[in-house]
Amino acid sequence: MLTHAKAFGSYSVNDLSKAKEFYGKTLGIEISEEMDGMILALHINGNGNNPIIYPKPNHEPATFTVLNFPVDDVEKAVDELTAKGIQFEHYDMEQLKTDAKGIMRYKDIMAQAWFKDPAGNILSVVGNK
């Protein structure tokens, strides 16, 4: 029944105008307002199944990563986003440790760094180095 469904993700924010500014201007993602401006669609995956963001008055930020952005060079992405004012999360847990820039490196296989949107949802950049 759902084998060929074109699934997409969604998550809430407490302020849609701040989300529009952050995702559209700060991150530079093409966005569109849908349903008479009640939701934002992030045009990032090219297949039409765009993640959507919707307002929720009693929004509570997700405590897990809601959106991952694959990049070629995590360190370069972190530097560019930091220059735009984004602050990266720092973790010091047994299975998750980040460096001074907020980058977790797993051997020579992958690297990942986490940051939050204005509503406190966790996003990441992830790549091979």
Side-chain angles (χ1 to χ4, degrees), residues 97-111:
K97 294 185 186 300
T98 55
D99 64 17
K101 288 186 175 185
I103 301 171
M104 183 273 307
R105 299 173 197 280
Y106 181 73
K107 301 181 182 179
D108 289 331
I109 300 172
M110 69 166 282

Side-chain angles (χ1 to χ4, degrees), residues 22-107:
F22 178 77
Y23 287 93
K25 300 255 180 358
T26 305
L27 298 184
I29 295 171
E30 180 185 345
I31 59 173
S32 62
E33 294 183 45
E34 309 288 334
M35 295 178 58
D36 297 323
M38 292 176 50
I39 64 171
L40 296 178
L42 306 179
H43 300 275
I44 55 176
N45 55 21
N47 65 9
N49 300 347
N50 302 307
I52 61 169
I53 299 171
Y54 57 92
K56 185 177 177 191
N58 59 347
H59 165 77
E60 290 188 31
T63 58
F64 51 87
T65 308
V66 297
L67 192 59
N68 297 290
F69 295 97
V71 296
D72 292 327
D73 186 330
V74 171
E75 187 152 359
K76 181 179 177 184
V78 167
D79 289 344
E80 290 174 0
L81 291 169
T82 299
K84 292 182 174 201
I86 292 177
Q87 295 180 352
F88 282 82
E89 299 298 299
H90 294 271
Y91 300 106
D92 187 13
M93 298 180 274
E94 185 177 334
Q95 304 252 338
L96 176 59
K97 294 185 186 300
T98 55
D99 64 17
K101 288 186 175 185
I103 301 171
M104 183 273 307
R105 299 173 197 280
Y106 181 73
K107 301 181 182 179

Side-chain angles (χ1 to χ4, degrees), residues 2-14:
L2 300 177
T3 304
H4 300 288
K6 294 183 178 181
F8 61 93
S10 65
Y11 52 97
S12 69
V13 297
N14 56 352

